[in-house]
Amino acid sequence: MARIVGGIGASHSPTIAFAKDTNKQNDPAWAPIFEGFSVVQTWVREKQVDVLFMIFNDHITSFFFDHYSAFALGIDDRYETADEGGGARDYPPVEGHLALSQHIGQALVADEFDMSFFQKKPLDHGFFSPLSMIAEDTQQGWAGTVVPLQVGVLQFPVPSARRCYKLGRSLRKAIQSFPEDLNVAIVATGGLSHQVHGERCGFTSEAWDNEFLELLQHKPEQLTGMRLAEYAEKGGMEGAEVIMWLIMRGALSDKVNKVHQTSYLPSMCNIATLIYEDLGDAPDEADLEVYREHIGSELAGVEKLSGTHPFTLARSHKAYRINDFLHRIVIPEHRARFVSDLEGLMQEYNLTTEEQTMIRNQQWIEMIHYGVTFFVLEKMAPVVGVSNIEVYASMRGESVEDFLKTRNAPIRYSVAGGDKASELDQSPQ
């Protein structure tokens, strides 16, 4: 059973990463940042933490407004540093705990949180500023694994403080119900008080920061009753991101032991570090088993449906490369290369021999079994000159004629538009 050993609060200002990368440890103006994080680093080592559940917000680096989610959970086995405009930091990738992230994703959705999920996205200073300080070896990076949760707090409406706290409560059950023996620490990043835009730019309030930290430990429910406008008034508009700390607090016991707390205001943001040790009792195994059944209830029994292959988080990760390759058919340049130089294109995307064979030979059912979603197969189909009907018939192991006999009307169709749609419409009926 996985155990939550405690919670960490840490600012994620780019100030931190800059100090780390430019070796400011011995500069009096910067040293307090390192001193606070050194305690966190020691605690993580002594508690033998295996997994850091990292709660952060992206700063419009990998998560833009073309699709902006409230809660986006990473379900990958590797995360790299993002280029935020001046070049990526020279910091090694970190390993993701794939099985735990998939389990948490299932649990949170089962508890009616409408999650989104991401893979293959580099992460910015919101994630890597504090993580690089927790890691003991700058060259090797963090030696354990992570599960990242990106919270969309930059485009309103955003989740409320209460919603964040409730997600933390659900997160606690999700982690504790994971059957593997793991020590997990919940890391909330962001804040403290600051504002970086507008005429109020530069606003900070150490008085509010101290009050927030006191309430976070002893009266978190009081913080959940505050509106975002109140957080902005007290701690600056961007400082309202401290609602993410309520996810961490919600994932801990009602009573915690504070073993460390610092804050330091050198410039635009009050930089803080905080450690709570969890004082809760171990959950009852029977209760955990009931919760595990709850997590899997929506798809329970689907395995009995012959020829049915739900597209799960596990299948999505396993077959990400080939799904990504086929999804790019919607890009005209990629589509043209697919037609003119398929072999070269597949090699450029590092498809495996098995993946290349399935695409080359149009092995539709084999791709389904492999983990390819049908909805990229129907994008590939018109490019290779077939309608959806040919794909359906192939997956059932039937001729097109026999398959059409099972339909109410002998029609053929495709997702293609323009001339390609007309071409397919002229296929023999």
Side-chain angles (χ1 to χ4, degrees):
M1 180 183 73
R3 294 169 300 279
I4 298 175
V5 297
I8 298 169
S11 301
H12 65 211
S13 167
T15 311
I16 300 166
F18 185 85
K20 180 85 170 183
D21 294 348
T22 54
N23 301 309
K24 303 290 188 182
Q25 295 93 327
N26 299 319
D27 187 319
W30 298 83
I33 299 174
F34 292 89
E35 292 166 3
F37 275 99
S38 69
V39 179
V40 177
Q41 185 182 101
T42 300
W43 182 85
V44 167
R45 181 181 66 252
E46 292 177 348
K47 290 297 179 180
Q48 298 181 324
V49 173
D50 301 298
V51 184
L52 295 173
F53 186 91
M54 299 283 296
I55 305 159
F56 74 106
N57 69 277
D58 172 89
H59 300 81
I60 316 305
T61 304
S62 290
F63 296 80
F64 190 60
F65 304 129
D66 55 346
H67 187 140
Y68 198 68
S69 301
F71 299 115
L73 185 71
I75 53 164
D76 213 341
D77 56 3
R78 176 185 169 96
Y79 301 94
E80 298 184 352
T81 55
D83 185 335
E84 300 185 53
R89 295 181 65 196
D90 185 17
Y91 188 78
V94 61
E95 181 182 351
H97 198 296
L98 188 59
L100 178 59
S101 64
Q102 293 171 354
H103 175 84
I104 291 172
Q106 284 187 284
L108 294 179
V109 172
D111 285 349
E112 301 182 354
F113 287 92
D114 298 323
M115 307 298 296
S116 64
F117 303 98
F118 69 89
Q119 304 178 65
K120 314 307 174 200
K121 284 187 177 294
L123 304 181
D124 74 1
H125 70 266
F127 179 91
F128 274 108
S129 269
L131 183 65
S132 64
M133 284 291 203
I134 295 172
E136 295 199 33
D137 190 318
T138 302
Q139 297 302 314
Q140 296 298 319
W142 165 242
T145 58
V146 300
V147 176
L149 175 67
Q150 199 282 140
V151 184
V153 294
L154 299 185
Q155 175 180 269
F156 291 88
V158 306
S160 67
R162 188 176 305 280
R163 188 63 172 164
C164 289
Y165 188 68
K166 287 182 176 179
L167 187 141
R169 289 302 203 198
S170 185
L171 176 63
R172 180 177 183 82
K173 294 185 292 182
I175 292 173
Q176 290 181 329
S177 65
F178 187 68
E180 187 177 339
D181 185 23
L182 293 172
N183 289 332
V184 181
I186 314 298
V187 184
T189 76
L192 296 172
S193 64
H194 65 292
Q195 184 158 326
V196 295
H197 83 275
E199 291 79 0
R200 203 187 185 208
C201 175
F203 174 84
T204 59
S205 174
E206 292 182 272
W208 161 243
D209 293 333
N210 292 331
E211 181 183 353
F212 170 80
L213 293 173
E214 180 70 17
L215 292 172
L216 185 70
Q217 180 180 359
H218 298 291
K219 297 180 181 179
E221 290 281 359
Q222 185 171 326
L223 290 171
T224 69
M226 288 178 55
R227 297 178 301 109
L228 290 166
E230 295 176 83
Y231 278 95
E233 178 185 0
K234 291 177 177 291
M237 191 70 250
E238 283 73 35
E241 70 189 9
V242 292
I243 61 172
M244 294 188 292
W245 291 44
L246 286 167
I247 300 176
M248 176 268 286
R249 188 63 183 89
L252 303 180
S253 307
D254 290 339
K255 292 184 179 181
V256 295
N257 178 34
K258 183 177 72 176
V259 298
H260 168 71
Q261 180 178 309
T262 64
S263 63
Y264 174 56
L265 179 56
S267 182
M268 292 290 290
C269 180
N270 194 0
I271 297 172
T273 55
L274 171 75
I275 301 172
Y276 292 146
E277 291 186 347
D278 192 274
L279 300 180
D281 296 330
D284 182 78
E285 182 58 39
D287 292 338
L288 291 180
E289 189 55 40
V290 170
Y291 187 70
R292 293 184 189 113
E293 291 179 5
H294 160 70
I295 292 173
S297 62
E298 289 293 336
L299 281 178
V302 75
E303 68 278 0
K304 298 176 183 177
L305 299 176
S306 178
T308 302
H309 312 279
F311 191 72
T312 61
L313 296 179
R315 288 171 69 83
S316 176
H317 181 267
K318 171 183 178 290
Y320 182 90
R321 180 178 49 245
I322 186 172
N323 277 308
D324 176 58
F325 178 81
L326 293 176
H327 174 253
R328 290 172 184 268
I329 285 173
V330 301
I331 303 171
E333 294 79 9
H334 186 88
R335 185 163 64 245
R337 282 285 309 281
F338 190 98
V339 173
S340 66
D341 182 22
L342 177 60
E343 299 301 322
L345 189 63
M346 290 194 294
Q347 291 182 22
E348 284 182 23
Y349 278 80
N350 296 315
L351 298 190
T352 66
T353 300
E354 181 183 9
E355 292 166 343
Q356 292 184 42
T357 298
M358 289 187 293
I359 293 173
R360 184 186 302 114
N361 297 335
Q362 300 174 30
Q363 296 174 338
W364 309 109
I365 193 60
E366 287 83 357
M367 284 190 276
I368 290 291
H369 292 164
Y370 187 78
V372 178
T373 176
F374 168 77
F375 300 101
V376 296
L377 296 184
E378 73 171 354
K379 293 172 173 54
M380 170 182 164
V383 178
V384 298
V386 301
S387 70
N388 281 29
I389 300 301
E390 279 82 3
V391 179
Y392 301 143
S394 175
M395 288 193 295
R396 283 170 50 135
E398 299 174 353
S399 67
V400 172
E401 292 73 20
D402 287 342
F403 179 75
L404 286 174
K405 291 176 183 177
T406 69
R407 305 298 95 190
N408 291 331
I411 61 173
R412 303 189 190 197
Y413 55 89
S414 168
V415 295
D419 293 341
K420 179 60 71 171
S422 299
E423 176 186 323
L424 291 171
D425 189 48
Q426 295 171 11
S427 300
Q429 298 295 317

